[in-house]
Amino acid sequence: MITTTTGTAAAAQAPTDRTRNHARAAGALYLVTFLASIPALLLIAPVLDHTDYVVGAGSDTRVLWGCLLDLVSAMACIGTAVAVFPVVRRTNEALALGFVSSRMVEAGIIVIGVVSLLSVVTLRQDLGATTGATGEDAATLVTTGRALVAVRDWTFLLGPGFMSAVNALLFGTLLYRSRLVPRFIPVMGLVGAPLLLASGLATFFGHNDQLSGWSFLATLPIAAWELAVGTYMLVKGFRPQSAAGERA
């Protein structure tokens, strides 16, 4: 009888440990996306702020590091959804699959922005800086560089902007229903998502600047949600009673 009880307890413990590992992996990747994206934005500032970067004095190494961090953020973005999928699909498989898909779309948009900035660096190194372009050649390069930066600006709005709100709606709903984390955490995401969408739509139609005070305020709840859910999953994992219920 004792042997049977011990074996049953051990069998029940194994899934709990696997669930905790999924949660910790997702939490760590959430924090990676959060921590990589902020310095990346600072590192790529020269190419964003200087319209003549492609023909002027550049900080290519700095920009390349920023692009690399954005790539890390994009890959971690996908990893967060893949890590939690085996757990949250038991709550609603359609929503869980939607979350994985939306994360992949966000990562793809981010990569497009990275490629556009890498193209600016290549143009500067191959044509702008080495040949000392002047006159019409310089004007053409500047126009091309500005077009590529404009592509990156749109990817920043559509990726970390719109898709982050979609991610929060999907994942927040899954966590709220399953109670895998305290409910106040997904509530932050569910409240912040409409604010971020409203700000993004205002920017999309030209009624708001992407770096305005309103945009910053609208981003805060989503930033708090991602930081909170990532930290909780990394430190605490999923709540054992809720994870056990999901398995049942």
Side-chain angles (χ1 to χ4, degrees):
M1 185 66 177
I2 296 176
T3 304
T4 303
T5 304
T6 304
T8 302
Q13 183 66 27
T16 303
D17 291 340
R18 288 196 294 270
T19 299
R20 183 175 294 275
N21 290 337
H22 285 297
R24 286 179 172 172
L29 291 170
Y30 248 108
L31 295 182
V32 167
T33 62
F34 194 86
L35 297 175
S37 59
I38 295 175
L41 188 60
L42 298 175
L43 289 171
I44 63 177
V47 70
L48 299 180
D49 297 339
H50 297 87
T51 57
D52 61 342
Y53 181 90
V54 70
V55 295
S59 304
D60 293 343
T61 302
R62 172 180 171 176
V63 173
L64 289 174
W65 274 109
C67 290
L68 180 61
L69 287 177
D70 268 341
L71 285 176
V72 170
S73 179
M75 296 303 101
C77 184
I78 298 174
T80 58
V82 173
V84 298
F85 179 78
V87 181
V88 297
R89 72 182 178 87
R90 299 175 183 128
T91 300
N92 188 308
E93 189 166 3
L95 282 178
L97 185 59
F99 179 52
V100 174
S101 301
S102 67
R103 278 301 214 182
M104 293 179 66
V105 171
E106 180 182 357
I109 294 173
I110 292 173
V111 171
I112 292 173
V114 170
V115 171
S116 68
L117 293 188
L118 292 176
S119 300
V120 175
V121 172
T122 300
L123 283 175
R124 201 197 77 80
Q125 292 178 344
D126 292 350
L127 300 174
T130 57
T131 62
T134 58
E136 292 185 2
D137 291 338
T140 301
L141 285 174
V142 168
T143 301
T144 304
R146 293 181 68 180
L148 291 169
V149 171
V151 170
R152 190 270 169 192
D153 289 340
W154 278 107
T155 62
F156 188 72
L157 175 65
L158 299 177
F162 279 112
M163 294 312 300
S164 289
V166 174
N167 295 332
L169 288 173
L170 293 171
F171 193 36
T173 301
L174 287 167
L175 293 182
Y176 187 85
R177 290 181 178 179
S178 63
R179 299 176 184 248
L180 290 169
V181 301
R183 276 190 160 181
F184 77 90
I185 295 179
V187 165
M188 286 192 291
L190 294 174
V191 170
L195 294 176
L196 188 59
L197 283 174
S199 173
L201 285 173
T203 303
F204 189 90
F205 289 105
H207 301 300
N208 179 51
D209 188 84
Q210 201 167 357
L211 300 178
S212 67
W214 160 241
S215 296
F216 175 76
L217 292 175
T219 304
L220 286 180
I222 289 295
W225 138 257
E226 292 190 349
L227 182 60
V229 73
T231 303
Y232 187 91
M233 289 192 298
L234 178 62
V235 175
K236 296 286 189 178
F238 290 130
R239 301 169 88 177
Q241 67 274 22
S242 298
E246 288 299 302
R247 289 196 305 276

